[in-house]
Amino acid sequence: MIGAGDIPVLPRGVRLHFDKVRDSWVLLAPERAIMLDMVGHAVLSEVDGSRTFEQITRTLAEKYAAPAEEIARDSAGFLGALRDRRFLEVA
């Protein structure tokens, strides 16, 4: 699980990319890709390698006028799954 003070980072070779053919955002890694929905893209677009998970969830809560606890819970699960699949690292 990702903690409030953890800093999520996209590792070298992993990036967000807009796929014009599919008209959607994807997370690209060497020889792998994950199609993202609007929520996944919103979360990953805040991952900059310098802000903590808590700062990211607070920003999302303000941006989307949603409860920070709910965003933190859902985002932690999403980012944790990406970390397990090596699409994300935590500093």
Coordinates of all heavy atoms in Angstrom, one line a residue:
M1 N 0.8 -1.2 0.0 CA 0.0 0.0 0.0 C 0.9 1.2 0.0 O 2.0 1.2 0.6 CB -0.9 0.0 1.2 CG -2.1 0.9 1.1 SD -3.1 0.6 -0.2 CE -4.7 0.4 0.6
I2 N 0.4 2.3 -0.6 CA 1.2 3.5 -0.7 C 0.8 4.4 0.5 O -0.4 4.6 0.8 CB 0.9 4.2 -2.0 CG1 1.5 3.4 -3.2 CG2 1.5 5.6 -2.0 CD1 1.3 3.9 -4.5
G3 N 1.8 4.9 1.2 CA 1.6 5.8 2.3 C 1.5 7.3 2.0 O 1.9 7.7 0.9
A4 N 1.0 8.1 2.9 CA 0.8 9.5 2.7 C 2.1 10.2 2.3 O 2.1 11.1 1.5 CB 0.2 10.1 3.9
G5 N 3.2 9.8 2.9 CA 4.5 10.4 2.6 C 5.3 9.9 1.5 O 6.3 10.4 1.1
D6 N 4.8 8.8 0.9 CA 5.5 8.2 -0.3 C 5.4 9.1 -1.5 O 4.4 9.8 -1.7 CB 4.9 6.9 -0.6 CG 5.2 5.8 0.4 OD1 6.1 6.0 1.2 OD2 4.4 4.8 0.4
I7 N 6.4 9.1 -2.3 CA 6.5 9.9 -3.5 C 6.4 9.0 -4.7 O 7.4 8.3 -5.0 CB 7.7 10.8 -3.6 CG1 7.8 11.7 -2.4 CG2 7.8 11.5 -5.0 CD1 9.1 12.5 -2.3
P8 N 5.2 8.9 -5.4 CA 5.1 8.0 -6.6 C 5.9 8.6 -7.8 O 5.9 9.9 -8.0 CB 3.6 7.9 -6.9 CG 3.0 9.1 -6.1 CD 4.0 9.5 -5.1
V9 N 6.5 7.8 -8.5 CA 7.3 8.2 -9.7 C 7.2 7.2 -10.8 O 7.1 6.0 -10.6 CB 8.8 8.3 -9.2 CG1 9.7 7.4 -9.8 CG2 9.3 9.7 -9.2
L10 N 7.1 7.7 -12.0 CA 7.1 6.8 -13.2 C 8.6 6.5 -13.5 O 9.4 7.4 -13.7 CB 6.5 7.5 -14.4 CG 5.0 7.8 -14.3 CD1 4.5 8.5 -15.6 CD2 4.2 6.6 -14.0
P11 N 8.9 5.2 -13.5 CA 10.3 4.8 -13.8 C 10.7 5.1 -15.2 O 9.9 5.4 -16.1 CB 10.3 3.3 -13.5 CG 8.9 2.9 -13.5 CD 8.0 4.1 -13.3
R12 N 12.0 5.1 -15.4 CA 12.6 5.3 -16.7 C 11.9 4.4 -17.7 O 11.8 3.2 -17.4 CB 14.1 5.1 -16.7 CG 14.8 5.7 -17.9 CD 16.2 5.6 -17.8 NE 16.7 4.6 -18.7 CZ 17.6 3.8 -18.6 NH1 18.3 3.8 -17.5 NH2 17.9 2.9 -19.5
G13 N 11.5 4.9 -18.8 CA 10.9 4.1 -19.9 C 9.3 4.0 -19.8 O 8.7 3.4 -20.6
V14 N 8.8 4.5 -18.7 CA 7.3 4.5 -18.5 C 6.8 6.0 -18.7 O 7.4 6.9 -18.1 CB 6.9 4.0 -17.1 CG1 5.4 4.0 -17.0 CG2 7.4 2.5 -17.0
R15 N 5.7 6.1 -19.5 CA 5.2 7.5 -19.7 C 3.8 7.4 -20.1 O 3.2 6.4 -20.6 CB 6.0 8.2 -20.8 CG 5.9 7.5 -22.2 CD 6.8 8.2 -23.2 NE 6.8 7.4 -24.4 CZ 6.0 7.7 -25.5 NH1 5.2 8.8 -25.4 NH2 6.1 7.0 -26.6
L16 N 3.1 8.6 -19.9 CA 1.7 8.8 -20.3 C 1.8 9.2 -21.8 O 2.6 9.9 -22.2 CB 1.1 9.9 -19.5 CG 0.6 9.6 -18.1 CD1 0.1 10.9 -17.4 CD2 -0.6 8.6 -18.2
H17 N 0.8 8.7 -22.5 CA 0.8 9.0 -24.0 C -0.7 9.0 -24.4 O -1.4 8.1 -24.0 CB 1.6 7.9 -24.7 CG 1.5 8.0 -26.2 ND1 2.2 9.0 -26.9 CD2 0.8 7.3 -27.1 CE1 1.9 8.8 -28.2 NE2 1.1 7.8 -28.3
F18 N -1.0 10.0 -25.2 CA -2.3 10.0 -25.8 C -2.3 9.3 -27.1 O -1.6 9.6 -28.1 CB -2.8 11.5 -26.0 CG -4.2 11.5 -26.5 CD1 -5.3 11.3 -25.6 CD2 -4.5 11.7 -27.8 CE1 -6.6 11.3 -26.1 CE2 -5.8 11.7 -28.3 CZ -6.9 11.5 -27.4
D19 N -3.1 8.2 -27.2 CA -3.2 7.3 -28.4 C -4.2 7.9 -29.3 O -5.4 7.8 -29.0 CB -3.5 5.9 -28.0 CG -3.4 4.9 -29.2 OD1 -3.7 5.4 -30.3 OD2 -3.1 3.8 -28.9
K20 N -3.8 8.5 -30.4 CA -4.8 9.2 -31.3 C -5.7 8.2 -32.0 O -6.9 8.4 -32.2 CB -4.1 10.0 -32.4 CG -3.3 11.2 -31.8 CD -2.6 11.9 -32.9 CE -1.7 13.0 -32.2 NZ -0.9 13.7 -33.2
V21 N -5.2 7.0 -32.3 CA -6.0 6.0 -32.9 C -7.1 5.5 -32.0 O -8.3 5.4 -32.5 CB -5.1 4.7 -33.3 CG1 -6.0 3.6 -33.9 CG2 -4.1 5.2 -34.4
R22 N -6.9 5.3 -30.8 CA -7.9 4.8 -29.8 C -8.6 6.0 -29.1 O -9.5 5.8 -28.4 CB -7.3 3.9 -28.8 CG -6.8 2.6 -29.3 CD -6.2 1.7 -28.3 NE -5.7 0.5 -28.8 CZ -4.4 0.3 -29.3 NH1 -3.6 1.3 -29.3 NH2 -4.1 -0.8 -29.8
D23 N -8.1 7.2 -29.4 CA -8.6 8.4 -28.8 C -8.7 8.3 -27.2 O -9.7 8.6 -26.6 CB -10.0 8.7 -29.4 CG -10.5 10.1 -29.0 OD1 -9.6 11.1 -28.9 OD2 -11.7 10.3 -28.8
S24 N -7.6 7.8 -26.6 CA -7.6 7.7 -25.2 C -6.1 7.7 -24.7 O -5.2 7.5 -25.5 CB -8.3 6.4 -24.8 OG -7.5 5.3 -25.2
W25 N -6.0 7.9 -23.4 CA -4.7 7.9 -22.8 C -4.3 6.5 -22.4 O -5.1 5.7 -22.0 CB -4.8 8.7 -21.5 CG -4.8 10.2 -21.8 CD1 -5.9 11.0 -21.9 CD2 -3.7 11.1 -22.0 NE1 -5.6 12.3 -22.2 CE2 -4.2 12.3 -22.3 CE3 -2.3 10.9 -22.1 CZ2 -3.4 13.4 -22.5 CZ3 -1.5 11.9 -22.3 CH2 -2.0 13.2 -22.6
V26 N -3.0 6.2 -22.6 CA -2.4 5.0 -22.2 C -1.1 5.2 -21.4 O -0.5 6.3 -21.5 CB -2.0 4.1 -23.5 CG1 -3.3 3.7 -24.2 CG2 -1.1 4.8 -24.4
L27 N -0.8 4.2 -20.6 CA 0.5 4.2 -19.8 C 1.4 3.3 -20.6 O 1.1 2.1 -20.6 CB 0.2 3.8 -18.4 CG 1.4 3.9 -17.5 CD1 2.0 5.3 -17.4 CD2 1.1 3.4 -16.1
L28 N 2.5 3.8 -21.1 CA 3.4 3.0 -21.9 C 4.6 2.6 -21.2 O 5.2 3.4 -20.4 CB 3.8 3.7 -23.2 CG 2.7 4.1 -24.2 CD1 3.4 4.9 -25.3 CD2 2.1 2.8 -24.8
A29 N 5.0 1.4 -21.3 CA 6.2 0.8 -20.8 C 6.8 -0.1 -21.8 O 6.1 -0.4 -22.8 CB 6.0 0.0 -19.5
P30 N 8.1 -0.4 -21.7 CA 8.7 -1.2 -22.8 C 7.9 -2.5 -23.0 O 7.7 -3.3 -22.0 CB 10.1 -1.5 -22.2 CG 10.4 -0.4 -21.3 CD 9.1 0.0 -20.7
E31 N 7.4 -2.7 -24.2 CA 6.6 -3.9 -24.6 C 5.3 -4.1 -23.8 O 4.8 -5.2 -23.8 CB 7.5 -5.1 -24.5 CG 8.7 -5.0 -25.4 CD 9.5 -6.3 -25.4 OE1 9.0 -7.4 -25.1 OE2 10.8 -6.2 -25.6
R32 N 4.8 -3.0 -23.2 CA 3.6 -3.1 -22.4 C 2.8 -1.8 -22.5 O 3.4 -0.8 -22.7 CB 3.8 -3.4 -20.9 CG 4.6 -4.7 -20.7 CD 4.8 -4.9 -19.2 NE 5.8 -3.9 -18.7 CZ 6.0 -3.6 -17.4 NH1 5.2 -4.2 -16.5 NH2 6.8 -2.7 -17.1
A33 N 1.5 -1.9 -22.4 CA 0.7 -0.7 -22.3 C -0.6 -1.0 -21.5 O -1.1 -2.1 -21.5 CB 0.3 -0.3 -23.7
I34 N -1.1 0.0 -20.9 CA -2.3 0.0 -20.1 C -3.2 1.1 -20.6 O -2.8 2.3 -20.6 CB -2.1 0.1 -18.6 CG1 -1.3 -1.1 -18.1 CG2 -3.4 0.2 -17.9 CD1 -1.0 -1.0 -16.6
M35 N -4.4 0.8 -21.0 CA -5.4 1.8 -21.4 C -5.9 2.4 -20.1 O -6.2 1.7 -19.1 CB -6.6 1.2 -22.1 CG -6.2 0.5 -23.4 SD -5.9 1.6 -24.7 CE -7.5 2.3 -25.0
L36 N -6.0 3.7 -20.0 CA -6.4 4.4 -18.9 C -7.8 5.0 -19.1 O -8.1 5.5 -20.1 CB -5.5 5.6 -18.5 CG -4.0 5.2 -18.2 CD1 -3.2 6.4 -18.1 CD2 -4.0 4.4 -16.9
D37 N -8.6 5.0 -18.0 CA -9.9 5.7 -18.0 C -9.6 7.1 -17.5 O -8.5 7.5 -17.2 CB -11.0 5.0 -17.2 CG -10.6 4.9 -15.7 OD1 -9.6 5.5 -15.3 OD2 -11.3 4.1 -15.0
M38 N -10.7 7.9 -17.5 CA -10.5 9.3 -17.1 C -9.9 9.4 -15.6 O -9.1 10.3 -15.4 CB -11.8 10.1 -17.2 CG -12.3 10.2 -18.6 SD -13.8 11.2 -18.8 CE -14.6 11.2 -17.3
V39 N -10.3 8.6 -14.8 CA -9.9 8.6 -13.4 C -8.4 8.3 -13.3 O -7.6 8.9 -12.7 CB -10.7 7.7 -12.5 CG1 -10.1 7.7 -11.1 CG2 -12.2 8.1 -12.5
G40 N -8.0 7.2 -14.0 CA -6.6 6.8 -14.0 C -5.7 7.9 -14.6 O -4.6 8.1 -14.0
H41 N -6.2 8.5 -15.7 CA -5.4 9.6 -16.2 C -5.3 10.8 -15.3 O -4.2 11.4 -15.1 CB -6.0 10.0 -17.6 CG -5.3 11.2 -18.2 ND1 -5.8 12.5 -18.1 CD2 -4.1 11.3 -18.8 CE1 -4.9 13.3 -18.7 NE2 -3.9 12.6 -19.1
A42 N -6.4 11.1 -14.6 CA -6.4 12.2 -13.7 C -5.4 12.0 -12.6 O -4.6 12.9 -12.2 CB -7.8 12.4 -13.1
V43 N -5.3 10.8 -12.0 CA -4.4 10.4 -11.0 C -2.9 10.5 -11.5 O -2.1 11.2 -10.9 CB -4.7 9.1 -10.3 CG1 -3.6 8.6 -9.4 CG2 -6.0 9.1 -9.7
L44 N -2.7 9.8 -12.6 CA -1.3 9.8 -13.1 C -0.8 11.1 -13.6 O 0.4 11.3 -13.6 CB -1.2 8.7 -14.2 CG -1.2 7.3 -13.7 CD1 -1.3 6.3 -14.8 CD2 0.0 7.0 -12.8
S45 N -1.7 12.0 -14.1 CA -1.2 13.3 -14.5 C -0.7 14.1 -13.4 O 0.0 15.1 -13.6 CB -2.3 14.0 -15.3 OG -3.4 14.3 -14.5
E46 N -1.1 13.8 -12.2 CA -0.6 14.5 -11.0 C 0.8 13.9 -10.5 O 1.4 14.6 -9.7 CB -1.6 14.5 -9.9 CG -2.9 15.2 -10.2 CD -2.8 16.7 -10.4 OE1 -1.9 17.3 -9.8 OE2 -3.6 17.2 -11.2
V47 N 1.2 12.8 -10.9 CA 2.4 12.1 -10.5 C 3.6 12.8 -11.2 O 3.7 12.7 -12.4 CB 2.4 10.6 -10.8 CG1 3.7 10.0 -10.5 CG2 1.3 9.9 -10.0
D48 N 4.4 13.5 -10.5 CA 5.5 14.3 -11.1 C 6.8 13.9 -10.5 O 7.9 14.5 -10.8 CB 5.2 15.8 -11.0 CG 5.1 16.3 -9.5 OD1 5.4 15.5 -8.6 OD2 4.8 17.4 -9.3
G49 N 6.8 13.0 -9.5 CA 8.1 12.5 -9.0 C 8.6 13.4 -7.9 O 9.7 13.2 -7.3
S50 N 7.9 14.5 -7.5 CA 8.4 15.4 -6.5 C 7.3 15.5 -5.3 O 7.7 15.9 -4.2 CB 8.8 16.7 -7.0 OG 7.6 17.4 -7.6
R51 N 6.1 15.3 -5.7 CA 5.0 15.5 -4.7 C 4.7 14.2 -4.0 O 4.7 13.1 -4.6 CB 3.8 16.1 -5.3 CG 4.0 17.5 -5.7 CD 2.8 18.2 -6.2 NE 2.3 17.5 -7.4 CZ 1.0 17.5 -7.8 NH1 0.1 18.2 -7.2 NH2 0.7 16.9 -8.9
T52 N 4.3 14.3 -2.7 CA 3.9 13.1 -2.0 C 2.5 12.6 -2.4 O 1.7 13.4 -3.0 CB 3.9 13.4 -0.5 OG1 2.9 14.3 -0.2 CG2 5.3 13.8 0.0
F53 N 2.2 11.4 -2.0 CA 0.9 10.9 -2.3 C -0.2 11.7 -1.6 O -1.2 12.0 -2.2 CB 0.8 9.4 -1.8 CG -0.5 8.8 -2.0 CD1 -1.0 8.5 -3.2 CD2 -1.3 8.5 -0.9 CE1 -2.3 8.0 -3.4 CE2 -2.5 7.9 -1.0 CZ -3.0 7.6 -2.3
E54 N 0.1 12.2 -0.4 CA -0.9 13.1 0.3 C -1.1 14.4 -0.5 O -2.3 14.8 -0.6 CB -0.4 13.4 1.7 CG -1.4 14.2 2.5 CD -0.9 14.5 3.9 OE1 0.3 14.3 4.1 OE2 -1.7 14.8 4.7
Q55 N -0.1 15.0 -1.0 CA -0.2 16.2 -1.8 C -1.0 16.0 -3.1 O -1.8 16.8 -3.5 CB 1.2 16.8 -2.1 CG 1.9 17.3 -0.9 CD 3.4 17.6 -1.2 OE1 4.0 16.9 -2.0 NE2 3.8 18.7 -0.7
I56 N -0.7 14.8 -3.7 CA -1.5 14.5 -4.9 C -2.9 14.3 -4.7 O -3.8 14.9 -5.4 CB -0.9 13.2 -5.6 CG1 0.5 13.6 -6.1 CG2 -1.8 12.7 -6.7 CD1 1.3 12.3 -6.6
T57 N -3.3 13.6 -3.6 CA -4.7 13.3 -3.3 C -5.4 14.6 -2.9 O -6.6 14.8 -3.2 CB -4.9 12.2 -2.3 OG1 -4.1 12.5 -1.1 CG2 -4.4 10.9 -2.8
R58 N -4.7 15.5 -2.2 CA -5.3 16.7 -1.7 C -5.6 17.6 -3.0 O -6.6 18.2 -3.1 CB -4.4 17.5 -0.8 CG -5.0 18.6 -0.1 CD -4.1 19.2 1.0 NE -2.7 18.9 0.7 CZ -1.8 18.7 1.6 NH1 -2.1 18.9 2.9 NH2 -0.5 18.4 1.3
T59 N -4.7 17.6 -3.9 CA -4.9 18.4 -5.2 C -6.1 17.8 -5.9 O -6.9 18.6 -6.4 CB -3.6 18.3 -6.1 OG1 -2.5 18.9 -5.4 CG2 -3.8 19.0 -7.4
L60 N -6.2 16.5 -6.0 CA -7.3 15.9 -6.7 C -8.6 16.2 -6.0 O -9.6 16.4 -6.7 CB -7.1 14.4 -6.9 CG -6.0 13.9 -7.8 CD1 -5.7 12.5 -7.7 CD2 -6.4 14.2 -9.3
A61 N -8.6 16.1 -4.7 CA -9.8 16.4 -3.9 C -10.3 17.9 -4.2 O -11.5 18.1 -4.4 CB -9.6 16.2 -2.4
E62 N -9.4 18.8 -4.2 CA -9.7 20.2 -4.5 C -10.2 20.4 -5.9 O -11.2 21.0 -6.2 CB -8.5 21.1 -4.3 CG -8.2 21.2 -2.8 CD -6.9 21.9 -2.6 OE1 -6.3 22.4 -3.5 OE2 -6.4 22.0 -1.4
K63 N -9.5 19.7 -6.9 CA -9.8 19.9 -8.3 C -11.2 19.3 -8.6 O -12.0 19.9 -9.4 CB -8.8 19.2 -9.1 CG -8.9 19.4 -10.6 CD -7.8 18.5 -11.3 CE -6.8 19.4 -11.9 NZ -5.8 18.6 -12.7
Y64 N -11.6 18.2 -8.0 CA -12.8 17.5 -8.3 C -13.9 17.6 -7.2 O -14.9 16.9 -7.3 CB -12.5 16.0 -8.7 CG -11.7 15.9 -9.9 CD1 -10.3 15.7 -9.9 CD2 -12.3 16.1 -11.2 CE1 -9.6 15.6 -11.0 CE2 -11.5 16.1 -12.3 CZ -10.1 15.8 -12.2 OH -9.4 15.7 -13.4
A65 N -13.6 18.4 -6.2 CA -14.6 18.6 -5.1 C -15.1 17.3 -4.6 O -16.3 17.1 -4.5 CB -15.7 19.5 -5.6
A66 N -14.2 16.4 -4.3 CA -14.5 15.1 -3.7 C -13.8 14.9 -2.4 O -12.8 15.6 -2.1 CB -14.0 14.0 -4.7
P67 N -14.3 14.0 -1.6 CA -13.7 13.7 -0.3 C -12.3 13.2 -0.4 O -12.0 12.2 -1.2 CB -14.6 12.7 0.4 CG -15.9 12.7 -0.4 CD -15.5 13.2 -1.8
A68 N -11.3 13.8 0.3 CA -9.9 13.4 0.2 C -9.7 12.0 0.6 O -8.9 11.3 0.0 CB -9.1 14.4 1.0
E69 N -10.4 11.5 1.6 CA -10.3 10.1 2.1 C -10.6 9.1 1.0 O -10.0 8.1 0.9 CB -11.1 9.9 3.3 CG -10.8 10.8 4.5 CD -11.5 12.2 4.4 OE1 -12.5 12.3 3.7 OE2 -10.9 13.1 5.0
E70 N -11.7 9.4 0.3 CA -12.2 8.5 -0.8 C -11.2 8.5 -1.9 O -10.8 7.4 -2.4 CB -13.5 8.9 -1.3 CG -14.2 8.0 -2.2 CD -15.6 8.4 -2.6 OE1 -16.3 9.0 -1.8 OE2 -15.9 8.2 -3.8
I71 N -10.7 9.6 -2.3 CA -9.7 9.7 -3.4 C -8.4 9.0 -2.9 O -7.8 8.3 -3.7 CB -9.4 11.2 -3.7 CG1 -10.6 11.7 -4.5 CG2 -8.1 11.3 -4.6 CD1 -10.5 13.2 -4.9
A72 N -8.0 9.2 -1.7 CA -6.8 8.5 -1.2 C -6.9 7.0 -1.2 O -6.0 6.3 -1.7 CB -6.4 9.0 0.2
R73 N -8.1 6.5 -0.8 CA -8.3 5.1 -0.8 C -8.3 4.5 -2.2 O -7.6 3.5 -2.5 CB -9.6 4.8 -0.1 CG -9.9 3.3 0.1 CD -11.2 3.0 0.8 NE -12.4 3.6 0.1 CZ -13.1 4.7 0.6 NH1 -12.8 5.2 1.7 NH2 -14.1 5.2 -0.1
D74 N -9.0 5.1 -3.1 CA -9.1 4.6 -4.5 C -7.7 4.8 -5.2 O -7.3 3.8 -5.9 CB -10.2 5.3 -5.3 CG -11.6 5.1 -4.7 OD1 -11.7 4.1 -4.0 OD2 -12.5 5.8 -5.1
S75 N -7.1 5.9 -5.0 CA -5.8 6.1 -5.7 C -4.7 5.2 -5.1 O -3.9 4.8 -5.9 CB -5.4 7.6 -5.5 OG -6.3 8.5 -6.1
A76 N -4.7 4.9 -3.8 CA -3.7 4.0 -3.3 C -3.8 2.6 -3.9 O -2.8 2.0 -4.2 CB -3.9 4.0 -1.7
G77 N -5.1 2.2 -4.1 CA -5.3 0.9 -4.7 C -4.8 0.9 -6.1 O -4.1 -0.1 -6.6
F78 N -5.1 1.9 -6.9 CA -4.7 2.0 -8.3 C -3.2 2.1 -8.4 O -2.6 1.3 -9.2 CB -5.4 3.2 -8.9 CG -4.9 3.6 -10.3 CD1 -5.2 2.7 -11.3 CD2 -4.3 4.8 -10.5 CE1 -4.8 3.0 -12.6 CE2 -3.9 5.1 -11.8 CZ -4.1 4.2 -12.8
L79 N -2.6 3.0 -7.6 CA -1.1 3.1 -7.7 C -0.4 1.9 -7.2 O 0.7 1.5 -7.7 CB -0.7 4.4 -7.0 CG -1.2 5.7 -7.6 CD1 -0.7 6.9 -6.8 CD2 -0.7 5.9 -9.1
G80 N -1.0 1.3 -6.2 CA -0.4 0.1 -5.7 C -0.4 -1.0 -6.7 O 0.6 -1.8 -6.8
A81 N -1.4 -1.2 -7.5 CA -1.5 -2.2 -8.5 C -0.5 -1.9 -9.6 O 0.2 -2.8 -10.2 CB -2.9 -2.2 -9.1
L82 N -0.3 -0.6 -9.9 CA 0.7 -0.2 -10.9 C 2.1 -0.5 -10.4 O 2.9 -1.0 -11.2 CB 0.6 1.3 -11.3 CG -0.6 1.7 -12.1 CD1 -0.6 3.2 -12.3 CD2 -0.7 0.9 -13.4
R83 N 2.3 -0.3 -9.2 CA 3.6 -0.6 -8.6 C 3.9 -2.1 -8.6 O 5.0 -2.5 -9.0 CB 3.7 -0.1 -7.1 CG 5.1 -0.3 -6.5 CD 5.2 0.1 -5.1 NE 4.2 -0.6 -4.3 CZ 3.8 -0.3 -3.1 NH1 4.3 0.7 -2.5 NH2 2.9 -1.1 -2.5
D84 N 2.9 -2.9 -8.3 CA 3.1 -4.3 -8.4 C 3.4 -4.8 -9.8 O 4.1 -5.8 -9.9 CB 1.8 -5.0 -7.9 CG 1.5 -4.8 -6.4 OD1 2.4 -4.4 -5.7 OD2 0.4 -5.1 -6.0
R85 N 2.9 -4.1 -10.8 CA 3.2 -4.5 -12.2 C 4.4 -3.8 -12.8 O 4.7 -3.8 -14.0 CB 2.0 -4.2 -13.0 CG 0.8 -5.1 -12.6 CD -0.5 -4.8 -13.3 NE -0.3 -5.2 -14.7 CZ -1.2 -4.9 -15.7 NH1 -2.3 -4.2 -15.3 NH2 -1.0 -5.2 -16.9
R86 N 5.1 -3.0 -11.9 CA 6.3 -2.3 -12.3 C 6.1 -1.1 -13.3 O 7.0 -0.8 -14.1 CB 7.4 -3.2 -12.8 CG 7.8 -4.3 -11.7 CD 8.9 -5.1 -12.2 NE 9.1 -6.2 -11.3 CZ 10.1 -6.2 -10.4 NH1 10.9 -5.2 -10.3 NH2 10.2 -7.2 -9.6
F87 N 4.9 -0.6 -13.2 CA 4.6 0.7 -14.0 C 4.9 1.9 -13.2 O 4.8 3.0 -13.7 CB 3.2 0.7 -14.5 CG 2.9 -0.1 -15.7 CD1 2.5 -1.5 -15.6 CD2 3.0 0.4 -17.0 CE1 2.2 -2.2 -16.7 CE2 2.7 -0.4 -18.1 CZ 2.3 -1.7 -17.9
L88 N 5.2 1.7 -11.9 CA 5.3 2.8 -11.0 C 6.3 2.4 -9.9 O 6.4 1.3 -9.5 CB 4.0 3.1 -10.3 CG 3.9 4.3 -9.4 CD1 3.7 5.6 -10.2 CD2 2.8 4.2 -8.3
E89 N 7.1 3.4 -9.4 CA 8.0 3.2 -8.3 C 7.6 4.2 -7.2 O 6.9 5.2 -7.5 CB 9.4 3.5 -8.7 CG 9.9 2.4 -9.7 CD 11.4 2.7 -10.2 OE1 11.9 3.8 -9.9 OE2 11.9 1.9 -10.9
V90 N 8.0 3.9 -6.0 CA 7.7 4.8 -4.9 C 9.0 5.1 -4.2 O 9.8 4.3 -3.9 CB 6.7 4.1 -3.9 CG1 6.5 5.0 -2.7 CG2 5.4 3.8 -4.6
A91 N 9.2 6.4 -4.0 CA 10.4 6.9 -3.3 C 10.2 7.2 -1.9 O 9.1 7.5 -1.5 CB 11.0 8.1 -4.0

